[in-house]
Amino acid sequence: MDSVAIVGAGTFGGSLAWWLAREGVQVTLVDQFEPGDRRATSGGETRLIRCGHGEDAGYTASARRARTLWRELEAESGADLLIECGLVWFAHRADGWEAASETTMRAQDIPVERLGVEEGSKLFPSFQGDDLEFLLHEPEAGVLRAQLATQTLAAQARAHGARVVRGRAEPRGAAVAVGSEVLEADAVVWACGGWLAQLFPGLANVVTTRQDLFFMDGGEPWAHAPGWVDYDGAVYGTGDLDGLGVKGAPDFEGPPLAPDDDLPPTDPDNDRWIREYFRRRFPALAGAPLKSSTSCRYELSPDSHFIAAPHPEHAGVWLVGGGSGHGFKHGPAMAEKLAAALRGGEPMPERWRLGERAGGQSMRTSGSSR
C-alpha cells in the first residue's frame, strides 16, 4: 500500500494519518473543518483516558496501548497532551462494572488499586460517598487535551509528508470527491464521525446526539483532583484543567442532533441535574458559580462498539467510526490495528462490523439511561 486517502481528521482519522505518514505512505487527509473543531465528535478541550472497560479485555488493552502511543506523539511533537492525574471510579455495587474492570486490568498488569470510600476525601477537595461500596483508582489514567491532540496529530502527519485538505468530501465509487478534485488511492478510509450514516446509509449504523458539559468554579484545590466516573450514575468529570473549571457531564444518551445542525445551548434541566449531583457527591461545589457550559456531539452505535470494516462493494474502501462517547483515547491504538488490516494483516474484530447490531452494555462512562 503506497497511498491512502483519509476523510475525517478526528482521533481515528488523524491518528491513522500520523501513523501511516511516518511509515512513508503517501497520505491525503481531508476534513471539512480545522482539526479540533468542536462541531465534530472529536472536538472540545478534554477527554478522559482510562483503561477500565468492565470485563472487556480488548478495549482494556487498546486503551493501555493508546496511552503509550499518545506518549510517543508527545515525545515527537513536544506537545503536552496527557495529564496523568489519575482517575477514580465510584462503585455502587461490590460486583459491578468497577469490580470487573479491576479484575481485567490486573490480568494485564495495568496499575489499579481498590480504595475504601473514606479515601475519597484525600483525593478530592470535597467528597461524599455514603452510597458507594468502594473506589477504584487508576493512578496512570487521566485526561487528554483533546483539541490540542487532534491538532497535533494533523500537524505531525503533515510534518511526515501528508497532504492536509480542507473541504467537504463525498464518495465517488472507490474514490473521494472534494469539490472538483477526485482523490484516488490504494486505500480510502472514511473516518468522518456522524456523517458516516448520511454518506453510507444502511452500512454505518450510528446516530448523533447532543450531550451537555458544565464547568464549575471550584477554586485552585480542584486543579489537583483526578478524573472520575460514576458508571451506574451515568456521570463523569475532571478537576479544573487549564482553568476551564471543574467539569461535570451527564452521560445518559441525549436527544438527536444531526451532524450539520448547530450546537445548541445546554438544557436547563441538565444544569439542575448536574448541580444536584455535585450537591450529593462534592458538597463544596453545590453553590459554586458556573464558569461555562457547552454542548457537544456523540456518534453512537447501538452497542457502543466501534465501526471499522471494509465496504462490501468497493475493495480498499473502509468505514471507521462509532466512537460512542469513549473512542477518543483509543485513536492511536485504532490506527495501529487499522494500518495492519489495510495491509492484509490481522483483521479487525468482528464486533466492529458494518450493518445492523443489537443493543449492548455501554463501553462509555454510563451504565444507565436517564
Side-chain angles (χ1 to χ4, degrees), residues 8-252:
T11 187
F12 288 165
S15 293
L16 183 63
W18 169 61
W19 187 273
L20 291 176
R22 69 178 185 167
E23 291 186 344
V25 176
Q26 181 182 333
V27 174
T28 302
L29 177 64
V30 182
D31 201 293
Q32 62 182 318
F33 306 129
E34 291 294 331
D37 192 292
R38 66 170 47 256
R39 289 169 289 184
T41 52
S42 285
E45 291 84 359
T46 62
R47 295 291 192 284
L48 294 177
I49 179 166
R50 41 85 182 183
C51 290
H53 285 80
E55 62 185 13
D56 195 296
Y59 285 117
T60 300
S62 174
R64 187 64 175 175
R65 175 60 177 160
R67 179 185 179 279
T68 298
L69 297 177
W70 284 118
R71 289 301 195 200
E72 285 188 16
L73 179 64
E74 286 182 315
E76 179 184 300
S77 66
D80 186 9
L81 305 176
L82 198 166
I83 297 85
E84 194 176 282
C85 57
L87 183 137
V88 180
W89 296 85
F90 301 151
H92 291 257
R93 295 174 290 141
D95 60 350
W97 173 268
E98 298 78 15
S101 296
E102 179 184 12
T103 298
T104 307
M105 285 188 280
R106 290 192 186 282
Q108 297 185 20
D109 294 324
I110 297 171
V112 64
E113 53 186 345
R114 182 181 289 225
L115 304 175
V117 173
E118 68 280 0
E119 296 294 308
S121 61
K122 299 177 183 178
L123 294 166
F124 299 96
S126 172
F127 182 76
Q128 177 61 254
D130 290 349
D131 58 330
L132 303 178
E133 287 285 332
F134 64 91
L135 307 178
L136 189 67
H137 182 218
E138 293 187 50
E140 294 184 356
V143 182
L144 285 162
R145 291 186 169 99
Q147 184 178 64
L148 179 59
T150 52
Q151 293 168 345
T152 302
L153 287 166
Q156 290 305 115
R158 185 186 285 113
H160 288 291
R163 178 186 174 213
V164 180
V165 176
R166 176 84 180 268
R168 185 143 180 162
E170 295 182 354
R172 186 168 295 179
V176 179
V178 186
S180 60
E181 184 178 9
V182 177
L183 304 175
E184 296 181 334
D186 296 332
V188 172
V189 177
W190 293 85
C192 48
W195 287 270
L196 276 175
Q198 292 183 357
L199 296 173
F200 302 97
L203 293 180
N205 188 3
V206 294
V207 297
T208 49
T209 62
R210 189 208 76 214
Q211 308 296 138
D212 289 345
L213 311 172
F214 300 91
F215 298 86
M216 313 302 290
D217 188 355
E220 193 276 338
W222 281 95
H224 312 287
W228 51 273
V229 180
D230 190 329
Y231 184 80
D232 288 338
V235 57
Y236 71 93
T238 72
D240 187 346
L241 177 67
D242 296 335
L244 295 170
V246 182
K247 181 179 180 178
D251 205 30
F252 39 75

